[in-house]
Amino acid sequence: MTVHFPFDNSYARLGAAFSRPTTPTPVAAPLLLKLNRPLALELGLDPDDLNSAEGAEILAGNHVPPGAEPIAAAYAGHQFGHFVPQLGDGRAILLGEVIDRQDRRRDIQLKGSGPTAFSRNGDGRAALGPVLREYLVSEAMASLGLPTTRALAAVATGEPVYREKLLPGAVLARVASSHVRVGTFQFFAARGNDAAIARLADHVIERHYREAATAPNPYRTLFECVCERQAVLVARWMQVGFVHGVMNTDNMSIAGETIDYGPCAFLDTYDPATVFSSIDRTGRYAYANQPVVARWNLARLAECLLPLLDPDEKKAVETAEATLASFMEAFEAAHLDGFRAKIGLETSRTEDGALIHDLLALMAREKADFTSTFRGLGKAAESEEAEAVVRALFDDPIRFDQWAIRWRARLKFESRSPAERRRAMDAVNPAVIPRNHRVEKALAAAMAGDLAPFERLNEALARPFEDRPDFAEYAGLPPKHEMPYRTFCGT
Ligand code: AMP
Ligand code: MG
Protein backbone atom coordinates (compact mmCIF):
# COMPACT_ATOMS: atom_id res chain seq x y z
CA MET A 1 0.00 0.00 0.00
CA THR A 2 1.15 3.50 -0.72
CA VAL A 3 -0.49 6.51 0.86
CA HIS A 4 -1.36 8.86 -1.96
CA PHE A 5 -0.81 12.62 -1.56
CA PRO A 6 -2.02 14.81 -4.45
CA PHE A 7 1.04 17.09 -4.33
CA ASP A 8 1.52 20.24 -6.40
CA ASN A 9 4.45 22.18 -5.00
CA SER A 10 4.26 25.80 -6.08
CA TYR A 11 6.63 27.12 -3.40
CA ALA A 12 9.40 24.72 -4.36
CA ARG A 13 9.01 25.99 -7.93
CA LEU A 14 9.72 29.59 -6.91
CA GLY A 15 13.40 28.83 -7.11
CA ALA A 16 16.57 28.23 -5.18
CA ALA A 17 16.57 31.60 -3.43
CA PHE A 18 13.39 30.73 -1.51
CA SER A 19 14.21 27.39 0.03
CA ARG A 20 16.68 24.52 0.31
CA PRO A 21 15.80 20.95 -0.65
CA THR A 22 16.00 19.06 2.64
CA THR A 23 15.26 15.45 3.42
CA PRO A 24 13.74 14.82 6.84
CA THR A 25 16.06 12.88 9.14
CA PRO A 26 14.56 9.46 9.97
CA VAL A 27 13.65 8.73 13.58
CA ALA A 28 14.09 5.51 15.56
CA ALA A 29 10.56 4.31 16.17
CA PRO A 30 7.70 6.36 14.71
CA LEU A 31 4.43 5.83 16.54
CA LEU A 32 1.29 7.62 15.42
CA LEU A 33 -0.19 9.18 18.57
CA LYS A 34 -2.96 11.16 16.99
CA LEU A 35 -4.37 11.47 13.51
CA ASN A 36 -6.85 14.19 12.56
CA ARG A 37 -9.15 12.10 10.41
CA PRO A 38 -11.59 14.88 9.38
CA LEU A 39 -8.67 17.07 8.33
CA ALA A 40 -7.10 14.19 6.38
CA LEU A 41 -10.38 13.78 4.48
CA GLU A 42 -10.54 17.51 3.79
CA LEU A 43 -7.06 17.28 2.27
CA GLY A 44 -8.05 14.43 0.00
CA LEU A 45 -5.98 11.92 1.99
CA ASP A 46 -7.27 8.53 3.06
CA PRO A 47 -7.28 8.46 6.87
CA ASP A 48 -7.26 4.64 6.91
CA ASP A 49 -4.15 4.61 4.74
CA LEU A 50 -2.50 7.18 6.98
CA ASN A 51 -3.42 5.25 10.11
CA SER A 52 -0.85 2.57 9.39
CA ALA A 53 2.81 1.81 9.91
CA GLU A 54 3.53 3.40 6.54
CA GLY A 55 1.45 6.44 7.49
CA ALA A 56 3.48 6.84 10.69
CA GLU A 57 6.71 6.56 8.65
CA ILE A 58 5.53 9.33 6.35
CA LEU A 59 4.23 11.59 9.11
CA ALA A 60 7.50 11.19 11.04
CA GLY A 61 9.59 11.99 7.98
CA ASN A 62 11.13 8.50 7.66
CA HIS A 63 9.54 7.92 4.30
CA VAL A 64 9.10 10.69 1.74
CA PRO A 65 5.94 9.97 -0.27
CA PRO A 66 5.90 10.20 -4.07
CA GLY A 67 5.37 13.73 -5.32
CA ALA A 68 6.75 15.40 -2.18
CA GLU A 69 9.58 17.90 -2.70
CA PRO A 70 10.73 18.49 0.85
CA ILE A 71 12.22 21.91 1.45
CA ALA A 72 13.23 24.19 4.27
CA ALA A 73 12.05 27.73 3.58
CA ALA A 74 14.26 30.78 4.03
CA TYR A 75 13.02 33.66 6.13
CA ALA A 76 14.29 36.41 8.40
CA GLY A 77 12.52 38.22 11.21
CA HIS A 78 12.37 40.67 14.04
CA GLN A 79 12.50 38.73 17.28
CA PHE A 80 11.36 40.91 20.19
CA GLY A 81 12.22 43.93 18.07
CA HIS A 82 15.69 42.79 17.01
CA PHE A 83 16.28 41.98 13.38
CA VAL A 84 17.79 38.60 12.56
CA PRO A 85 18.61 38.50 8.82
CA GLN A 86 18.50 34.71 8.62
CA LEU A 87 16.13 32.44 10.53
CA GLY A 88 14.34 30.01 8.22
CA ASP A 89 12.80 26.59 8.84
CA GLY A 90 15.27 25.31 11.40
CA ARG A 91 13.16 22.40 12.51
CA ALA A 92 10.36 22.24 10.01
CA ILE A 93 10.33 20.78 6.55
CA LEU A 94 7.63 21.50 3.99
CA LEU A 95 6.73 18.18 2.37
CA GLY A 96 4.69 19.87 -0.29
CA GLU A 97 1.31 21.36 -1.12
CA VAL A 98 -1.94 19.61 -1.88
CA ILE A 99 -5.07 21.03 -3.43
CA ASP A 100 -7.80 20.07 -0.99
CA ARG A 101 -11.34 18.95 -1.68
CA GLN A 102 -12.53 22.52 -1.73
CA ASP A 103 -9.87 23.48 -4.22
CA ARG A 104 -7.72 25.28 -1.66
CA ARG A 105 -3.95 24.96 -1.73
CA ARG A 106 -2.61 23.72 1.62
CA ASP A 107 0.94 23.17 2.86
CA ILE A 108 1.82 19.96 4.64
CA GLN A 109 4.79 20.57 6.89
CA LEU A 110 6.60 18.35 9.35
CA LYS A 111 7.72 20.19 12.47
CA GLY A 112 10.55 18.54 14.40
CA SER A 113 11.75 16.48 11.47
CA GLY A 114 15.48 17.07 11.82
CA PRO A 115 18.14 19.64 11.05
CA THR A 116 18.10 21.89 8.00
CA ALA A 117 20.40 24.50 6.52
CA PHE A 118 18.65 26.97 8.87
CA SER A 119 19.00 25.09 12.14
CA ARG A 120 21.87 27.25 13.44
CA ASN A 121 22.68 25.62 16.80
CA GLY A 122 19.35 23.82 17.12
CA ASP A 123 18.76 20.11 16.76
CA GLY A 124 15.82 20.41 14.39
CA ARG A 125 13.66 18.44 16.79
CA ALA A 126 10.54 19.02 18.86
CA ALA A 127 9.52 17.63 22.22
CA LEU A 128 6.28 15.73 22.75
CA GLY A 129 4.75 18.30 25.14
CA PRO A 130 4.92 21.30 22.77
CA VAL A 131 3.80 19.13 19.83
CA LEU A 132 0.66 17.97 21.65
CA ARG A 133 0.12 21.51 22.92
CA GLU A 134 0.17 22.88 19.38
CA TYR A 135 -2.14 20.06 18.32
CA LEU A 136 -4.69 20.89 21.02
CA VAL A 137 -4.58 24.64 20.77
CA SER A 138 -4.46 25.00 16.99
CA GLU A 139 -7.38 22.60 16.60
CA ALA A 140 -9.25 24.46 19.35
CA MET A 141 -8.73 27.70 17.44
CA ALA A 142 -10.11 26.08 14.29
CA SER A 143 -13.17 24.89 16.22
CA LEU A 144 -13.61 28.39 17.60
CA GLY A 145 -13.76 29.53 13.97
CA LEU A 146 -10.50 31.46 13.87
CA PRO A 147 -8.11 31.35 10.93
CA THR A 148 -5.25 29.07 11.94
CA THR A 149 -2.75 26.48 10.91
CA ARG A 150 -4.10 22.99 11.59
CA ALA A 151 -2.72 19.81 13.09
CA LEU A 152 -2.89 16.72 10.89
CA ALA A 153 -0.99 14.33 13.13
CA ALA A 154 1.34 13.92 16.08
CA VAL A 155 3.92 11.15 15.90
CA ALA A 156 6.24 10.04 18.69
CA THR A 157 9.77 9.54 17.42
CA GLY A 158 11.00 7.03 19.98
CA GLU A 159 14.01 9.31 20.46
CA PRO A 160 14.81 11.70 23.28
CA VAL A 161 15.39 15.40 22.73
CA TYR A 162 17.84 17.28 24.89
CA ARG A 163 16.44 20.45 26.50
CA GLU A 164 16.96 21.51 30.12
CA LYS A 165 16.31 17.83 30.63
CA LEU A 166 15.73 14.78 28.45
CA LEU A 167 12.27 14.79 26.90
CA PRO A 168 10.45 12.42 24.57
CA GLY A 169 10.60 13.61 20.95
CA ALA A 170 7.72 14.03 18.50
CA VAL A 171 6.88 15.37 15.07
CA LEU A 172 3.82 17.48 14.30
CA ALA A 173 2.34 17.33 10.82
CA ARG A 174 1.05 20.85 10.35
CA VAL A 175 -1.23 22.19 7.65
CA ALA A 176 -1.37 25.84 6.59
CA SER A 177 -2.80 27.78 3.69
CA SER A 178 0.85 28.76 3.25
CA HIS A 179 3.88 29.33 5.43
CA VAL A 180 4.84 32.69 3.93
CA ARG A 181 5.51 35.13 6.74
CA VAL A 182 6.29 38.83 7.08
CA GLY A 183 9.81 37.53 7.73
CA THR A 184 9.91 35.87 4.31
CA PHE A 185 9.69 39.31 2.70
CA GLN A 186 12.25 40.63 5.15
CA PHE A 187 14.70 37.92 4.11
CA PHE A 188 14.84 39.32 0.58
CA ALA A 189 14.60 42.97 1.58
CA ALA A 190 17.67 42.52 3.81
CA ARG A 191 19.52 41.27 0.72
CA GLY A 192 18.27 44.01 -1.59
CA ASN A 193 16.67 41.35 -3.80
CA ASP A 194 13.74 43.31 -5.26
CA ALA A 195 13.09 40.71 -7.94
CA ALA A 196 12.54 38.04 -5.29
CA ILE A 197 10.22 40.35 -3.36
CA ALA A 198 8.12 40.86 -6.49
CA ARG A 199 8.08 37.13 -7.18
CA LEU A 200 7.03 36.40 -3.61
CA ALA A 201 4.35 39.10 -3.70
CA ASP A 202 2.96 37.63 -6.94
CA HIS A 203 2.94 34.18 -5.34
CA VAL A 204 1.05 35.53 -2.32
CA ILE A 205 -1.47 37.36 -4.50
CA GLU A 206 -2.10 34.22 -6.54
CA ARG A 207 -2.43 32.14 -3.42
CA HIS A 208 -4.25 34.33 -0.93
CA TYR A 209 -5.37 37.63 -2.39
CA ARG A 210 -6.64 37.07 -5.93
CA GLU A 211 -8.71 40.26 -5.64
CA ALA A 212 -5.43 42.22 -5.72
CA ALA A 213 -4.40 40.78 -9.09
CA THR A 214 -6.87 42.91 -11.01
CA ALA A 215 -6.58 46.05 -8.86
CA PRO A 216 -5.02 49.23 -10.35
CA ASN A 217 -2.01 48.80 -8.04
CA PRO A 218 -1.92 45.09 -7.11
CA TYR A 219 0.88 45.44 -4.53
CA ARG A 220 -0.82 48.31 -2.78
CA THR A 221 -4.04 46.29 -2.65
CA LEU A 222 -2.04 43.29 -1.43
CA PHE A 223 -0.68 45.33 1.47
CA GLU A 224 -4.16 46.68 2.28
CA CYS A 225 -5.59 43.16 2.26
CA VAL A 226 -2.84 41.79 4.52
CA CYS A 227 -3.44 44.66 6.97
CA GLU A 228 -7.19 44.07 6.93
CA ARG A 229 -6.84 40.35 7.63
CA GLN A 230 -4.38 40.94 10.45
CA ALA A 231 -6.67 43.54 12.02
CA VAL A 232 -9.56 41.08 11.99
CA LEU A 233 -7.38 38.21 13.20
CA VAL A 234 -6.04 40.10 16.22
CA ALA A 235 -9.53 41.37 17.08
CA ARG A 236 -10.78 37.79 16.99
CA TRP A 237 -7.92 36.58 19.17
CA MET A 238 -8.88 39.15 21.74
CA GLN A 239 -12.54 38.15 21.57
CA VAL A 240 -11.63 34.65 22.73
CA GLY A 241 -9.02 35.82 25.24
CA PHE A 242 -6.06 34.51 23.24
CA VAL A 243 -2.52 35.72 23.84
CA HIS A 244 -0.20 34.64 21.02
CA GLY A 245 2.88 35.27 23.09
CA VAL A 246 5.56 35.50 20.42
CA MET A 247 4.39 37.82 17.67
CA ASN A 248 7.77 38.13 16.03
CA THR A 249 7.60 39.04 12.34
CA ASP A 250 8.66 35.50 11.42
CA ASN A 251 5.61 34.24 13.29
CA MET A 252 3.11 36.40 11.43
CA SER A 253 1.53 34.60 8.51
CA ILE A 254 0.96 36.68 5.41
CA ALA A 255 -2.34 34.83 4.93
CA GLY A 256 -3.73 36.08 8.24
CA GLU A 257 -3.72 32.71 9.96
CA THR A 258 -2.66 32.13 13.54
CA ILE A 259 0.71 30.41 13.35
CA ASP A 260 3.42 29.29 15.74
CA TYR A 261 1.78 27.97 18.87
CA GLY A 262 4.77 28.27 21.16
CA PRO A 263 4.08 30.15 24.37
CA CYS A 264 0.46 31.08 23.57
CA ALA A 265 -2.32 30.70 26.13
CA PHE A 266 -5.86 31.84 26.89
CA LEU A 267 -6.90 34.23 29.64
CA ASP A 268 -8.78 32.87 32.59
CA THR A 269 -9.24 36.00 34.72
CA TYR A 270 -9.44 39.03 32.50
CA ASP A 271 -6.38 41.26 32.72
CA PRO A 272 -5.31 43.18 29.61
CA ALA A 273 -1.70 43.23 30.79
CA THR A 274 -1.49 39.44 30.80
CA VAL A 275 1.77 37.95 29.57
CA PHE A 276 2.19 34.18 29.72
CA SER A 277 5.56 33.72 28.06
CA SER A 278 8.47 33.41 30.44
CA ILE A 279 10.76 35.15 27.95
CA ASP A 280 8.54 38.20 27.38
CA ARG A 281 9.95 40.25 30.24
CA THR A 282 8.74 43.66 29.03
CA GLY A 283 5.21 42.66 28.09
CA ARG A 284 5.82 43.39 24.42
CA TYR A 285 3.34 40.65 23.48
CA ALA A 286 0.81 41.21 26.29
CA TYR A 287 -2.89 40.62 25.53
CA ALA A 288 -3.78 44.27 25.02
CA ASN A 289 -0.59 45.10 23.14
CA GLN A 290 -1.33 42.68 20.30
CA PRO A 291 -2.87 45.22 17.90
CA VAL A 292 0.05 47.60 18.49
CA VAL A 293 2.53 44.85 17.74
CA ALA A 294 0.61 43.68 14.68
CA ARG A 295 0.78 47.22 13.33
CA TRP A 296 4.49 47.39 14.08
CA ASN A 297 5.04 44.13 12.21
CA LEU A 298 3.00 45.40 9.27
CA ALA A 299 5.19 48.51 9.17
CA ARG A 300 8.16 46.15 8.75
CA LEU A 301 6.30 44.45 5.89
CA ALA A 302 5.59 47.85 4.34
CA GLU A 303 9.32 48.60 4.33
CA CYS A 304 9.90 45.46 2.29
CA LEU A 305 7.14 46.31 -0.19
CA LEU A 306 8.21 49.93 -0.79
CA PRO A 307 10.01 49.20 -4.08
CA LEU A 308 6.80 47.60 -5.38
CA LEU A 309 4.38 50.25 -4.16
CA ASP A 310 5.65 53.10 -6.30
CA PRO A 311 8.80 53.85 -8.31
CA ASP A 312 8.88 57.22 -6.52
CA GLU A 313 10.08 56.42 -3.00
CA LYS A 314 8.32 59.37 -1.41
CA LYS A 315 5.01 58.31 -2.94
CA ALA A 316 5.62 54.71 -1.88
CA VAL A 317 6.12 55.81 1.71
CA GLU A 318 2.94 57.91 1.60
CA THR A 319 0.97 54.96 0.28
CA ALA A 320 2.30 52.64 2.97
CA GLU A 321 1.65 55.16 5.72
CA ALA A 322 -1.91 55.77 4.60
CA THR A 323 -2.66 52.05 4.77
CA LEU A 324 -0.92 51.63 8.11
CA ALA A 325 -2.91 54.55 9.46
CA SER A 326 -6.12 52.71 8.65
CA PHE A 327 -4.96 49.54 10.41
CA MET A 328 -6.01 50.73 13.86
CA GLU A 329 -9.39 51.86 12.52
CA ALA A 330 -9.92 48.44 10.97
CA PHE A 331 -8.87 46.78 14.22
CA GLU A 332 -11.09 49.04 16.36
CA ALA A 333 -14.06 48.39 14.09
CA ALA A 334 -13.55 44.62 14.20
CA HIS A 335 -12.98 44.75 17.95
CA LEU A 336 -16.13 46.78 18.59
CA ASP A 337 -18.27 44.62 16.28
CA GLY A 338 -17.02 41.46 17.93
CA PHE A 339 -17.65 42.65 21.47
CA ARG A 340 -21.05 44.04 20.48
CA ALA A 341 -21.99 40.53 19.43
CA LYS A 342 -20.50 39.13 22.62
CA ILE A 343 -22.80 41.26 24.78
CA GLY A 344 -25.79 40.47 22.59
CA LEU A 345 -26.12 43.62 20.51
CA GLU A 346 -27.29 43.34 16.95
CA THR A 347 -27.59 47.03 16.20
CA SER A 348 -25.09 49.77 16.84
CA ARG A 349 -25.41 52.88 18.99
CA THR A 350 -22.82 55.46 19.95
CA GLU A 351 -22.79 54.41 23.61
CA ASP A 352 -21.79 50.82 22.78
CA GLY A 353 -18.06 51.47 22.87
CA ALA A 354 -18.27 52.86 26.40
CA LEU A 355 -20.55 50.04 27.54
CA ILE A 356 -18.04 47.44 26.32
CA HIS A 357 -15.03 49.35 27.61
CA ASP A 358 -16.62 49.72 31.04
CA LEU A 359 -17.44 46.03 31.25
CA LEU A 360 -13.88 45.06 30.37
CA ALA A 361 -12.45 47.58 32.83
CA LEU A 362 -14.72 46.20 35.51
CA MET A 363 -13.78 42.62 34.69
CA ALA A 364 -10.12 43.54 35.06
CA ARG A 365 -10.66 45.36 38.33
CA GLU A 366 -12.95 42.74 39.84
CA LYS A 367 -10.96 39.79 38.47
CA ALA A 368 -13.77 38.21 36.48
CA ASP A 369 -13.18 35.15 34.34
CA PHE A 370 -13.22 36.19 30.67
CA THR A 371 -14.86 33.14 29.09
CA SER A 372 -17.39 32.52 31.85
CA THR A 373 -18.48 36.14 32.03
CA PHE A 374 -19.46 36.32 28.38
CA ARG A 375 -20.96 32.83 28.30
CA GLY A 376 -22.91 33.73 31.43
CA LEU A 377 -24.16 36.99 29.91
CA GLY A 378 -25.83 34.91 27.20
CA LYS A 379 -27.79 33.01 29.82
CA ALA A 380 -28.55 36.28 31.65
CA ALA A 381 -29.84 37.75 28.39
CA GLU A 382 -32.45 35.02 28.27
CA SER A 383 -33.45 35.01 31.93
CA GLU A 384 -32.72 37.59 34.60
CA GLU A 385 -32.31 34.91 37.28
CA ALA A 386 -29.24 33.62 35.46
CA GLU A 387 -27.55 36.94 36.12
CA ALA A 388 -26.63 35.65 39.59
CA VAL A 389 -24.06 33.32 38.05
CA VAL A 390 -22.34 36.15 36.21
CA ARG A 391 -22.30 38.60 39.12
CA ALA A 392 -20.70 35.94 41.32
CA LEU A 393 -17.67 36.00 38.99
CA PHE A 394 -16.86 39.55 40.11
CA ASP A 395 -14.99 40.23 43.35
CA ASP A 396 -17.45 43.03 44.02
CA PRO A 397 -20.74 41.89 42.43
CA ILE A 398 -22.48 45.20 43.14
CA ARG A 399 -20.29 46.90 40.57
CA PHE A 400 -21.42 44.36 38.03
CA ASP A 401 -25.05 45.05 38.95
CA GLN A 402 -24.53 48.72 38.12
CA TRP A 403 -23.17 47.79 34.71
CA ALA A 404 -25.97 45.28 34.13
CA ILE A 405 -28.59 48.00 34.62
CA ARG A 406 -27.00 49.97 31.77
CA TRP A 407 -26.75 46.82 29.66
CA ARG A 408 -30.41 45.95 30.12
CA ALA A 409 -31.39 49.52 29.26
CA ARG A 410 -29.34 49.22 26.07
CA LEU A 411 -30.94 45.87 25.18
CA LYS A 412 -34.34 47.62 25.13
CA PHE A 413 -33.30 49.19 21.82
CA GLU A 414 -32.93 45.74 20.29
CA SER A 415 -35.68 43.75 18.62
CA ARG A 416 -34.55 40.14 19.06
CA SER A 417 -36.39 37.94 21.52
CA PRO A 418 -34.40 36.94 24.63
CA ALA A 419 -34.15 33.36 23.34
CA GLU A 420 -32.85 34.49 19.96
CA ARG A 421 -30.37 36.79 21.63
CA ARG A 422 -29.12 33.97 23.84
CA ARG A 423 -28.65 31.73 20.80
CA ALA A 424 -26.70 34.42 18.96
CA MET A 425 -24.52 35.08 22.02
CA ASP A 426 -23.85 31.38 22.56
CA ALA A 427 -22.62 31.19 18.97
CA VAL A 428 -19.87 33.74 19.65
CA ASN A 429 -19.11 33.18 23.35
CA PRO A 430 -17.51 29.76 23.78
CA ALA A 431 -18.30 27.65 26.82
CA VAL A 432 -15.02 25.79 26.43
CA ILE A 433 -11.56 27.11 25.65
CA PRO A 434 -8.20 25.36 26.18
CA ARG A 435 -7.87 26.38 29.80
CA ASN A 436 -4.27 26.31 30.95
CA HIS A 437 -4.80 23.97 33.86
CA ARG A 438 -6.59 21.49 31.59
CA VAL A 439 -3.92 21.65 28.90
CA GLU A 440 -1.17 21.15 31.49
CA LYS A 441 -2.95 18.14 32.98
CA ALA A 442 -3.46 16.53 29.58
CA LEU A 443 0.17 17.07 28.62
CA ALA A 444 1.48 15.76 31.93
CA ALA A 445 -0.59 12.59 31.52
CA ALA A 446 0.61 12.19 27.92
CA MET A 447 4.23 12.49 29.06
CA ALA A 448 3.51 9.71 31.52
CA GLY A 449 2.16 7.57 28.69
CA ASP A 450 -1.58 8.17 29.15
CA LEU A 451 -3.15 9.87 26.13
CA ALA A 452 -6.75 9.57 27.39
CA PRO A 453 -6.91 13.07 28.98
CA PHE A 454 -5.44 14.58 25.77
CA GLU A 455 -8.08 12.80 23.69
CA ARG A 456 -10.88 13.89 25.96
CA LEU A 457 -9.76 17.51 26.10
CA ASN A 458 -9.43 17.48 22.34
CA GLU A 459 -13.01 16.22 22.14
CA ALA A 460 -14.23 18.88 24.58
CA LEU A 461 -12.58 21.59 22.47
CA ALA A 462 -14.09 20.33 19.23
CA ARG A 463 -17.54 21.81 19.98
CA PRO A 464 -16.78 24.88 22.06
CA PHE A 465 -20.08 26.67 21.62
CA GLU A 466 -22.29 23.91 23.01
CA ASP A 467 -23.17 23.31 26.65
CA ARG A 468 -22.32 19.64 26.95
CA PRO A 469 -23.07 18.23 30.41
CA ASP A 470 -20.63 15.36 29.76
CA PHE A 471 -17.82 17.85 29.36
CA ALA A 472 -18.87 20.35 32.05
CA GLU A 473 -15.52 20.08 33.84
CA TYR A 474 -13.79 21.70 30.84
CA ALA A 475 -15.99 24.79 31.16
CA GLY A 476 -15.16 25.18 34.85
CA LEU A 477 -12.84 27.76 36.35
CA PRO A 478 -9.28 26.85 37.28
CA PRO A 479 -8.37 26.38 40.90
CA LYS A 480 -7.06 29.63 42.41
CA HIS A 481 -3.35 29.88 41.73
CA GLU A 482 -0.84 31.71 43.84
CA MET A 483 1.61 31.95 40.96
CA PRO A 484 0.72 33.48 37.60
CA TYR A 485 0.58 30.95 34.77
CA ARG A 486 3.77 30.85 32.69
CA THR A 487 4.51 29.23 29.36
CA PHE A 488 7.88 28.27 27.96
CA CYS A 489 8.79 28.27 24.30
CA GLY A 490 9.84 24.68 24.80
CA THR A 491 11.84 24.58 21.59
P1 AMP B 1 10.19 30.01 16.92
O1 AMP B 1 10.54 30.64 18.23
O2 AMP B 1 9.59 28.63 17.06
O3 AMP B 1 9.39 30.88 16.05
O4 AMP B 1 11.57 29.76 16.18
C1 AMP B 1 12.45 30.78 15.82
C2 AMP B 1 13.53 30.24 14.93
O5 AMP B 1 14.32 29.26 15.63
C3 AMP B 1 13.05 29.55 13.67
O6 AMP B 1 13.97 29.83 12.65
C4 AMP B 1 13.07 28.11 14.05
O7 AMP B 1 13.20 27.26 12.93
C5 AMP B 1 14.33 28.04 14.92
N1 AMP B 1 14.30 26.92 15.87
C6 AMP B 1 13.53 26.82 16.97
N2 AMP B 1 13.78 25.65 17.60
C7 AMP B 1 14.71 24.99 16.88
C8 AMP B 1 15.37 23.72 17.02
N3 AMP B 1 15.11 22.91 18.02
N4 AMP B 1 16.26 23.40 16.06
C9 AMP B 1 16.54 24.22 15.05
N5 AMP B 1 15.95 25.42 14.87
C10 AMP B 1 15.05 25.80 15.77
MG1 MG C 1 8.44 30.55 14.34
Side-chain angles (χ1 to χ4, degrees):
M1 176 189 63
T2 304
V3 183
H4 176 69
F5 288 75
F7 281 121
D8 176 60
N9 308 319
S10 68
Y11 204 75
R13 290 196 291 270
L14 283 180
F18 292 83
S19 59
R20 307 272 182 283
T22 310
T23 308
T25 306
V27 301
L31 177 68
L32 188 56
L33 299 177
K34 178 71 183 167
L35 175 67
N36 189 338
R37 299 180 72 96
L39 181 60
L41 283 173
E42 242 183 62
L43 296 172
L45 307 175
D46 186 329
D48 293 324
D49 284 357
L50 275 177
N51 189 21
S52 64
E54 190 202 353
E57 296 271 328
I58 292 172
L59 295 164
N62 284 22
H63 173 63
V64 176
E69 292 172 82
I71 53 174
Y75 57 84
H78 275 90
Q79 299 187 307
F80 290 90
H82 302 286
F83 187 61
V84 183
Q86 180 164 311
L87 290 166
D89 287 334
R91 56 160 172 169
I93 293 174
L94 178 64
L95 273 188
E97 300 152 32
V98 298
I99 309 298
D100 76 9
R101 293 210 167 158
Q102 291 182 51
D103 221 22
R104 297 170 303 187
R105 182 176 290 278
R106 323 256 313 249
D107 276 5
I108 301 181
Q109 193 201 55
L110 303 182
K111 187 170 174 182
S113 52
T116 75
F118 305 109
S119 293
R120 295 172 290 160
N121 297 322
D123 59 2
R125 292 299 182 191
L128 177 65
V131 162
L132 293 181
R133 195 164 194 282
E134 173 154 353
Y135 192 111
L136 278 172
V137 183
S138 65
E139 285 304 301
M141 289 290 261
S143 299
L144 287 166
L146 275 80
T148 176
T149 61
R150 301 290 305 273
L152 175 62
V155 186
T157 60
E159 291 177 5
V161 293
Y162 302 86
R163 299 294 181 256
E164 292 89 48
K165 53 183 179 176
L166 273 188
L167 296 169
V171 173
L172 178 76
R174 174 161 90 178
V175 173
S177 72
S178 86
H179 282 85
V180 180
R181 308 136 191 276
V182 169
T184 316
F185 283 89
Q186 291 181 291
F187 180 86
F188 296 107
R191 287 156 182 78
N193 190 345
D194 290 356
I197 294 175
R199 202 164 158 72
L200 184 62
D202 291 341
H203 175 82
V204 167
I205 288 173
E206 162 72 21
R207 217 164 154 170
H208 304 296
Y209 300 100
R210 297 250 169 103
E211 63 271 38
T214 51
N217 182 338
Y219 300 122
R220 179 185 180 153
T221 303
L222 166 65
F223 184 53
E224 288 166 357
C225 291
V226 174
C227 289
E228 172 69 28
R229 272 199 213 169
Q230 279 301 329
V232 172
L233 179 68
V234 174
R236 297 198 63 193
W237 284 353
M238 292 175 72
Q239 285 148 26
V240 293
F242 180 75
V243 183
H244 182 283
V246 61
M247 291 175 70
N248 294 333
T249 55
D250 54 304
N251 293 337
M252 188 190 258
S253 155
I254 214 75
E257 288 181 341
T258 313
I259 187 170
D260 218 307
Y261 289 84
C264 65
F266 286 73
L267 302 179
D268 288 306
T269 301
Y270 177 71
D271 175 359
T274 302
V275 173
F276 292 115
S277 168
S278 59
I279 55 172
D280 188 3
R281 300 227 163 74
T282 62
R284 181 180 174 89
Y285 300 138
Y287 172 86
N289 211 35
Q290 297 182 111
V292 177
V293 174
R295 188 184 176 286
W296 191 89
N297 289 349
L298 290 165
R300 305 289 77 74
L301 175 63
E303 289 163 2
C304 303
L305 295 177
L306 285 180
L308 303 184
L309 291 178
D310 203 294
D312 176 343
E313 199 186 318
K314 195 162 159 270
K315 281 202 188 129
V317 171
E318 280 167 16
T319 300
E321 279 177 349
T323 305
L324 279 172
S326 61
F327 172 83
M328 275 302 165
E329 277 167 45
F331 166 76
E332 296 290 356
H335 187 265
L336 184 58
D337 279 355
F339 275 96
R340 260 199 191 105
K342 286 178 78 67
I343 63 168
L345 304 181
E346 194 182 24
T347 60
S348 97
R349 293 178 64 85
T350 42
E351 68 264 35
D352 297 347
L355 189 64
I356 290 161
H357 172 274
D358 293 350
L359 173 63
L360 290 171
L362 195 62
M363 287 166 63
R365 182 175 156 164
E366 304 301 333
K367 301 191 175 50
D369 182 84
F370 184 83
T371 302
S372 301
T373 298
F374 287 103
R375 187 72 181 181
L377 278 181
K379 295 191 177 74
E382 189 173 15
S383 89
E384 291 208 23
E385 295 86 80
E387 202 169 293
V389 180
V390 190
R391 72 190 297 280
L393 296 166
F394 290 71
D395 278 355
D396 180 356
I398 293 175
R399 289 183 184 274
F400 171 77
D401 296 341
Q402 291 160 353
W403 181 85
I405 290 168
R406 287 167 63 199
W407 177 55
R408 294 211 179 271
R410 171 63 183 85
L411 290 180
K412 292 219 160 65
F413 292 99
E414 299 269 317
S415 61
R416 281 190 295 206
S417 73
E420 278 173 323
R421 180 172 305 125
R422 155 97 190 262
R423 261 199 304 282
M425 290 173 79
D426 280 359
V428 293
N429 294 324
V432 184
I433 50 143
R435 292 210 184 248
N436 305 315
H437 68 295
R438 289 284 164 195
V439 173
E440 293 301 320
K441 255 193 177 161
L443 298 187
M447 301 281 281
D450 177 12
L451 280 170
F454 166 84
E455 285 288 352
R456 196 166 150 73
L457 176 55
N458 200 49
E459 221 177 305
L461 293 167
R463 286 151 62 191
F465 297 107
E466 295 172 27
D467 290 311
R468 291 195 286 170
D470 291 2
F471 290 92
E473 75 264 33
Y474 295 97
L477 302 191
K480 287 244 181 262
H481 277 296
E482 305 266 304
M483 296 280 287
Y485 182 69
R486 282 281 167 269
T487 58
F488 301 89
C489 255
T491 52

